């Protein structure tokens, strides 16, 4: 719909209000609108402007105007440097969040622009990862770019605006609507060379992004999930249908630049070096998904106190993370 | 014709002296009670009249005015019956006034003239001693409890006519007086030996007991959370005499006393539908809530996530202060509330065991958020329980994992650790490690170089703020006390980290 020209659009949707729409069009003054945008700190570029990302022109229905807040330079670098979208479920598992974060961080540290949709779950985790690594971050919203949607991510929105960029095809003040999310996904797909789906159930919006990306000739990758877990059925189906299997930053870099062409950021975890033998074996058990302290003690022949001490040390140095109600998970560091 | 009698009115767990003044005048026969009596006190007139007549005394055919002084405090309950009756008797010269002035009395009367027990007789006995009375008359049932107070002669009297005989010098209660601390007969306390496996949770329970730390247990239903919590009072050192008196006092005010001294620490497990005032106390005449009934013992909140938010929020200040304060009119009434809090909840909202549970991580996170942050802020230990490892069922279908260690040796270790803390914290006002504030935990902790390096490593990795730091140190100090170590070592700090709340809960708290 956003691809239609003015007359067609009015004919299609305005109906009885067609006269009103024509009047608005006649009285619209571009310079007034531009001043208004400037006052709000929002930048704009039309499809023919020089700041408009060239990759978007690959779309059958490119956004007529792109609005953004944040650094112009970040948007410009999109037209030069490779970019990767990291997308996934809002209701993601702890594992999905960890992987999203670590991909964002690894890619960011390698200087790749990480694009995502600032949704809850995997999207936000990926944004946090790239921001924590000080890498180039870009968010594509389904509402006006100056609006932090969802509200809980307003802190993240601030960080993105501060060091990255937040773009949208919607003018400032426009609320997110049901249809604007899939429309947003086509922009994400067009902006990047590769889309990584971290965790997606069947019928997930991330699958729409993946489909649009492959239609545009972009690569699609997915992170494998458990076959018994419904939350990863969609991303696993992508793998079955030929998406690239991704185990981490290295795999993504290999796909972009050819095997071994660019090494991932060299970050062996210094915390691993400090571990004692019982801590190592407890860590292995947690990695294997056997985290219950009693079971660990029986398996490793350690006292309850020793198991807790090992878990405590591992958590203190950031190698495992404890859920709100207890269970331990390996962090993806 | 005028007479006055001393009695006591309950206020919270304390009592204050009330003087019952009775005046007889010629006029139309009437019996008026003034001095802010509530309806239950005004009813005393009928009981007093009947009890007097049924005890072989006369009720004067005069205008009888009784005043309850001080007149600005509201009086409630039937405990003024006896004083009113004696006031009438003394004013009409049926008992000697000088003799009566040496006694304080309190009791409810039956129509037949028998003395009935009242709520809070221990509090009243304490009040009588403070007010300087040498003798207190109570119902026989109340005598054992009231006699816990030293320096006060407690006379348990069965009925009004006996009391008249006593005051007229015609009768003495048996010389040995009421039974001193009578062992309250209760069920035997459950023992930790009944708990099989759960070594990790046992350790957590022992640490909690040793340092007075509040504990949260999570796990699927039926893994043994309640069973473990129920056994916590038994591994705590038995209450000292003063503590036992306080426990008895609260119980007696609530009408729950079986008589005699409480020899065990209380264990209270209110249901999750409880109201805020049920939990912390309240009512027009304030009564102690569950947290006060658990004073010097354990308050166990099962299904912690199901308690209403107002109820949990109401716990915040009492947990901090160790007492509940209730405002009524111009007065503040306080109840003691020094408890160990033990919470339990499922590890996911559906509460089913692993293979059947369909909850996603975000469902779990939402469930965890229902626990109120201020409450989590008071919890030092989080312990997740797994379903116990069942070995092959035996021919009898029994679980073959060996029975656990009994409560007795655990209690001995806990007592030793507490003694060590007591010596170290002497004169600081903190009774146990959990009560140390930030200043105390800085001045009363010796850290080994190993412990320092663990802490700085954790700080470098992020996720250890100032408050989290103090909390880990307090817990590490308790673990060191259990290990009879005068210095906090690295391994103690490691273990303390292992019981820390999950990171999201820490952020919330």
């Amino acid at each position: 719909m956003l691809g239609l020209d003015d007359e067609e659009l009015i004919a299609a949707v305005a109906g009885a209000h067609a006269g009103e729409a024509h009047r608005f069009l006649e009285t619209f003054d571009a310079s007034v609108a531009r001043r208004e945008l400037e006052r709000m700190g929002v930048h704009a570029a039309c499809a023919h402007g020089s700041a408009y990302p060239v990759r978007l022109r690959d779309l059958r229905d490119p956004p007529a105007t792109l609005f953004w807040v944040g650094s112009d330079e970040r948007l410009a670098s999109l037209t030069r440097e490779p970019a990767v979208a990291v997308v996934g479920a809002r209701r993601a598992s702890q594992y999905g969040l960890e992987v999203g974060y670590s991909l964002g961080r690894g890619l960011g540290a390698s200087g790749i622009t990480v694009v995502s949709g600032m949704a809850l779950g995997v999207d936000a985790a990926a944004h946090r990862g790239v921001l924590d690594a000080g890498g180039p971050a870009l968010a594509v919203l389904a509402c006006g770019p100056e609006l932090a949607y969802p509200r809980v991510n307003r802190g993240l929105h601030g960080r993105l605006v501060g060091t990255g960029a937040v773009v949208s095809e919607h003018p400032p003040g426009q609320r997110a609507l049901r249809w604007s999310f899939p429309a947003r996904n086509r922009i994400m797909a067009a902006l990047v060379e590769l889309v990584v789906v971290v965790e997606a159930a069947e019928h997930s919006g991330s699958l729409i992004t993946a489909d649009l990306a492959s239609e545009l000739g972009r690569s699609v990758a997915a992170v494998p999930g458990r076959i018994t877990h419904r939350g990863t059925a969609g991303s696993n189906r992508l793998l079955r249908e030929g998406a690239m299997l991704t185990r981490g930053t290295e795999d993504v870099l290999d796909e972009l630049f050819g095997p071994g062409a660019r090494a991932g950021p060299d970050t062996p975890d210094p915390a691993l070096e400090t571990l004692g033998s019982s801590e190592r074996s407890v860590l292995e058990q947690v990695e294997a998904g056997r985290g219950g302290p009693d079971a660990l003690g029986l398996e490793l022949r350690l006292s309850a106190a020793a198991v807790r001490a090992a878990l405590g040390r591992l958590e203190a140095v950031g190698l495992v993370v404890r859920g709100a109600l207890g269970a331990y998970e390996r962090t993806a560091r | 014709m005028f007479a006055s009698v001393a009695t006591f009115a309950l206020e919270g767990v304390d009592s204050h002296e009330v003087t019952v003044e009775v005046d007889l005048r010629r006029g139309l026969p009437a019996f008026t009670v003034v001095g802010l009596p509530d309806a239950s006190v005004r009813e005393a007139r009928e009981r007093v009249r009947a009890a007097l007549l049924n005890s072989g005394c006369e009720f004067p055919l005069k205008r009888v005015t009784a005043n309850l002084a001080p007149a600005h405090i509201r009086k409630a309950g039937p405990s003024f019956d006896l004083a009113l009756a004696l006031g009438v008797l003394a004013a009409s010269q049926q008992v000697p006034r000088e003799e009566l002035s040496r006694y304080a009395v309190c009791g409810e009367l039956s129509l037949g003239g028998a003395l009935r027990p009242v709520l809070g007789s221990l509090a009243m006995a304490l009040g009588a001693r403070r007010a300087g009375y040498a003798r207190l008359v109570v119902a026989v049932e109340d005598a054992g409890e009231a006699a816990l107070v030293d320096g006060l002669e407690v006379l348990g009297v069965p009925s009004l006519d006996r009391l008249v005989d006593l005051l007229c010098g015609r009768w003495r209660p048996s010389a040995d007086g009421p039974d001193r601390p009578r062992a309250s007969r209760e069920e035997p306390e459950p023992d930790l030996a009944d708990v099989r496996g759960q070594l990790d949770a046992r350790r957590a329970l022992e640490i909690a007991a040793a340092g007075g730390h509040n504990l949260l247990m999570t796990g699927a239903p039926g893994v043994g959370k309640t069973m473990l919590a129920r056994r916590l009072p038994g591994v705590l050192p038995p209450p000292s005499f003063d503590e036992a008196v306080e426990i008895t006092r609260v119980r007696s005010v609530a009408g729950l006393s079986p008589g005699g001294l409480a020899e065990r620490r209380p264990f209270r497990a209110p249901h999750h539908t409880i109201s805020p005032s049920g939990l912390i106390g309240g009512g027009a005449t304030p009564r102690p809530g569950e947290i006060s009934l658990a004073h010097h013992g354990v308050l166990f909140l099962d299904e912690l996530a199901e308690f209403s938010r107002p109820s949990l929020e109401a716990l915040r200040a009492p947990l901090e202060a160790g007492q509940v304060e209730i405002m009524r009119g111009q007065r503040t009434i306080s109840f003691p509330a020094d408890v160990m809090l033990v919470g339990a909840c499922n590890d996911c909202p559906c509460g089913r065991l692993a293979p059947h549970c369909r909850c996603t991580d975000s469902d779990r996170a939402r469930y965890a958020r229902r626990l109120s942050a201020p409450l989590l802020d008071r919890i030092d230990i989080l312990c997740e329980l797994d379903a116990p490892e069942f070995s092959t069922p035996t021919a009898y279908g029994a679980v073959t994992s060996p029975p656990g260690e009994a409560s007795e040796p655990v209690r001995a270790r806990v007592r030793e650790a507490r003694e060590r803390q007591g010596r170290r914290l002497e004169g600081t006002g903190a009774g146990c490690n959990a009560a140390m504030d930030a200043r105390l935990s800085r001045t009363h902790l010796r850290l080994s170089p190993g412990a320092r390096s663990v802490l700085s490593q954790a700080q470098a990795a992020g996720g250890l703020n100032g408050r989290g730091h103090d909390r880990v140190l307090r817990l590490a100090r308790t673990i060191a006390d259990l290990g009879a170590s005068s210095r906090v070592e690295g391994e103690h700090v490691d273990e303390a980290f292992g019981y820390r709340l999950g990171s999201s809960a820490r952020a919330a708290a």
Side-chain angles (χ1 to χ4, degrees):
Chain A
M1 200 193 294
L2 293 159
L4 301 177
D5 75 23
D6 297 339
E7 294 299 326
E8 284 169 333
L9 185 66
I10 290 169
V13 298
H17 300 289
E20 233 172 274
H22 278 293
R23 267 195 300 287
F24 172 77
L25 205 60
E26 279 155 26
T27 57
F28 182 76
D29 181 349
S31 60
V32 171
R34 222 169 271 133
R35 272 201 300 280
E36 188 69 3
L37 284 176
E38 216 165 283
R39 195 179 56 75
M40 287 190 279
V42 177
H43 309 267
C46 80
H48 311 289
S50 58
Y52 193 82
V54 284
R55 289 195 191 119
L56 285 182
R57 298 204 178 112
D58 295 351
L59 281 169
R60 200 156 28 83
D61 47 357
T65 312
L66 195 67
F67 300 90
W68 75 96
V69 278
S71 106
D72 289 2
E73 194 274 324
R74 184 79 54 240
L75 200 63
S77 82
L78 265 179
T79 57
R80 297 192 302 271
E81 298 288 328
V84 170
V86 178
V87 296
R90 278 189 292 274
R91 286 164 48 111
S93 67
Q94 187 68 37
Y95 167 77
L97 298 179
E98 281 291 337
V99 173
Y101 178 87
S102 100
L103 276 173
R105 201 163 111 129
L107 291 170
S110 311
I112 311 278
T113 301
V114 176
V115 178
S116 197
M118 216 180 86
L120 300 173
V122 172
D123 284 16
H127 283 310
R128 287 205 179 86
V130 57
L131 289 168
D132 286 354
L138 191 122
V140 186
L141 298 194
C143 54
E146 86 295 0
L147 297 174
Y149 180 90
R151 284 290 288 161
V152 287
N153 281 343
R154 52 190 181 275
L156 187 61
H157 185 264
R159 289 178 72 193
L160 283 163
V161 170
T163 62
V166 181
V167 310
S168 171
E169 63 182 311
H170 300 285
Q174 174 68 51
R175 302 263 139 211
L177 298 166
R178 236 182 116 84
W179 56 266
S180 58
F181 291 95
R184 174 271 305 271
N185 290 352
R186 86 186 194 289
I187 301 179
M188 281 203 288
L191 280 176
V192 299
E193 304 208 330
L194 175 76
V195 173
V196 186
V197 179
V198 171
E199 203 168 76
E202 290 290 0
H203 312 300
S204 155
S206 307
L207 299 182
I208 298 177
T209 312
D211 285 348
L212 291 165
S214 54
E215 276 170 31
L216 288 166
R218 316 293 200 238
S219 313
V220 174
V223 175
R226 292 215 226 174
I227 59 170
T228 54
H229 181 32
R230 283 185 292 182
T232 56
S235 42
N236 282 346
R237 184 167 57 76
L238 285 179
L239 289 172
R240 172 83 183 126
E241 289 169 358
M244 190 196 70
L245 191 148
T246 303
R247 295 163 300 176
T249 309
E250 293 280 339
D251 285 350
V252 175
L253 293 176
D254 284 355
E255 173 72 12
L256 289 175
F257 304 108
R262 214 202 268 198
D266 186 29
T267 51
D269 202 313
L272 277 174
E273 312 294 314
T274 65
L275 299 183
S277 67
S278 60
E279 285 149 8
R280 272 176 206 283
S281 40
V282 168
L283 182 61
E284 277 164 21
Q285 294 286 322
V286 174
E287 281 170 352
R290 290 190 286 269
D294 255 5
L296 279 178
L298 288 175
E299 175 80 27
L300 303 172
R301 300 188 179 285
L302 289 172
S303 72
V307 171
R308 276 293 172 189
L311 286 169
R313 168 66 69 93
L314 291 171
E315 209 224 346
V317 299
L319 287 169
V320 300
V321 61
R322 195 171 199 204
L325 296 178
Y328 286 91
E329 294 251 6
R330 177 75 162 97
T331 55
R333 243 160 276 171
Chain B
M1 290 302 206
F2 168 81
S4 73
V5 188
T7 185
F8 293 86
L10 268 187
E11 187 178 68
V13 291
D14 289 318
S15 62
H16 53 81
E17 187 176 353
V18 170
T19 307
V20 177
E21 302 163 342
V22 179
D23 180 64
L24 300 186
R25 291 281 137 196
R26 275 211 304 247
L28 279 177
F31 188 4
T32 325
V33 179
V34 298
L36 281 190
D38 75 354
S40 63
V41 180
R42 279 196 297 272
E43 283 183 346
R45 292 177 302 180
E46 301 307 317
R47 283 193 297 273
V48 168
R49 189 194 308 272
L52 243 58
L53 295 173
N54 286 325
S55 302
C57 305
E58 275 176 35
F59 195 89
L61 282 175
K62 291 189 173 172
R63 182 176 173 77
V64 181
T65 307
N67 177 37
L68 309 177
H72 66 277
I73 299 173
R74 201 160 280 285
K75 323 286 186 311
S79 68
F80 303 100
D81 290 4
L82 184 58
L84 282 167
L86 286 172
V88 173
L89 288 173
S92 56
Q93 287 169 325
Q94 300 179 68
V95 297
R97 264 182 284 183
E98 325 67 75
E99 184 64 16
L100 183 59
S101 64
R102 287 193 231 145
Y103 292 82
V105 302
C106 75
E108 177 186 335
L109 286 174
S110 78
L111 295 184
L115 237 64
R116 287 192 169 138
V118 296
L119 293 182
S121 53
L122 178 54
M124 297 198 182
L126 287 165
R129 183 179 64 183
R130 202 176 36 211
Y133 289 94
R135 291 175 192 163
L136 175 71
V137 174
V138 293
V140 176
E141 293 88 336
D142 280 340
E145 194 179 292
L148 292 171
V149 177
D150 280 326
L152 181 73
E153 188 184 349
V154 173
L155 302 150
V157 175
S159 60
L160 186 59
D161 53 352
R162 273 300 154 91
L163 183 53
V164 172
D165 289 347
L166 173 73
L167 292 169
C168 299
R170 296 192 292 257
W171 179 77
R172 292 285 312 162
S174 58
D176 36 324
D179 312 337
R180 271 286 288 202
R182 173 162 43 104
S184 39
R185 282 179 297 281
E186 293 171 65
E187 301 266 301
E189 198 145 44
D191 196 288
L192 267 178
D194 309 337
V195 180
R196 286 164 193 268
Q198 300 296 9
L199 299 179
D200 180 66
R202 284 167 156 274
R203 171 82 180 159
L205 198 72
E206 184 173 332
I207 295 171
H213 301 283
N214 296 331
L215 167 72
L216 174 61
M217 292 186 280
T218 66
V223 296
K225 301 184 293 283
T226 306
M227 197 176 178
L228 279 157
R230 186 68 198 83
R231 282 154 181 77
L232 178 57
V235 298
L236 291 167
S240 67
F241 181 74
D242 288 347
E243 285 175 338
V245 168
E246 278 189 58
I247 296 168
T248 312
R249 180 149 75 136
V250 183
R251 277 211 306 211
S252 138
V253 167
L256 295 175
S257 180
L261 188 67
E263 291 177 324
R264 290 184 190 167
R265 294 185 180 273
F267 177 85
R268 301 292 300 184
H271 189 252
H272 60 75
T273 52
I274 193 169
S275 67
S277 52
L279 206 48
I280 65 161
T285 317
R287 305 239 299 155
E290 288 292 332
I291 188 172
S292 297
L293 292 171
H295 181 54
H296 287 314
V298 175
L299 178 66
F300 177 54
L301 303 182
D302 199 2
E303 304 296 355
L304 190 60
E306 307 295 333
F307 279 79
S308 76
R309 192 151 276 262
S311 299
L312 293 182
E313 301 285 325
L315 279 178
R316 179 187 196 169
L319 283 175
E320 197 78 43
Q323 62 171 14
V324 177
E325 296 205 324
I326 296 171
M327 308 288 221
R328 281 294 174 272
Q330 319 277 292
R331 304 174 74 84
T332 304
I333 295 161
S334 69
F335 289 104
D338 180 8
V339 300
M340 269 184 75
L341 178 72
V342 178
C345 63
N346 297 333
D347 48 4
C348 73
C350 78
R352 281 177 291 210
L353 286 170
H356 311 291
C357 170
R358 283 286 170 90
C359 299
T360 64
D361 284 2
S362 54
D363 292 335
R364 284 162 199 262
R366 197 172 315 120
Y367 181 69
R369 274 199 296 277
R370 300 228 301 256
L371 302 175
S372 107
L375 194 70
L376 288 178
D377 198 35
R378 304 294 306 159
I379 286 174
D380 287 345
I381 302 180
L382 168 65
C383 170
E384 68 273 35
L385 278 75
D386 299 332
E389 294 261 320
F390 291 106
S391 25
T392 342
T394 65
Y396 308 102
V399 182
T400 53
S401 53
E405 191 181 20
S407 290
E408 181 51 49
V410 180
R411 183 163 54 232
R413 289 196 296 271
V414 167
R415 182 184 298 153
E416 236 172 79
R418 288 229 167 187
E419 280 164 6
R420 205 164 282 124
Q421 291 164 45
R423 282 196 296 275
R424 193 175 52 242
L425 294 170
E426 207 169 353
T428 59
C432 56
N433 287 337
M436 289 194 294
D437 57 18
R439 189 185 55 81
L440 277 181
S441 52
R442 271 198 300 278
T443 51
H444 281 72
L445 279 173
R446 282 174 52 219
L447 295 176
S448 75
R452 279 180 209 286
S453 93
V454 175
L455 283 168
S456 58
Q457 237 180 325
Q459 239 147 5
L464 184 63
N465 58 15
R467 192 153 38 156
H469 184 267
D470 289 338
R471 184 184 301 199
V472 163
L473 280 187
R474 282 201 301 261
L475 195 58
R477 183 56 259 178
T478 301
I479 296 169
D481 282 330
L482 273 174
S485 163
S486 63
R487 211 167 54 155
V488 177
E489 303 286 342
E491 75 222 47
H492 303 139
V493 178
D494 278 345
E495 195 180 344
F497 270 121
Y499 296 109
R500 234 174 14 152
L501 296 178
S503 50
S504 58
R506 288 205 300 274

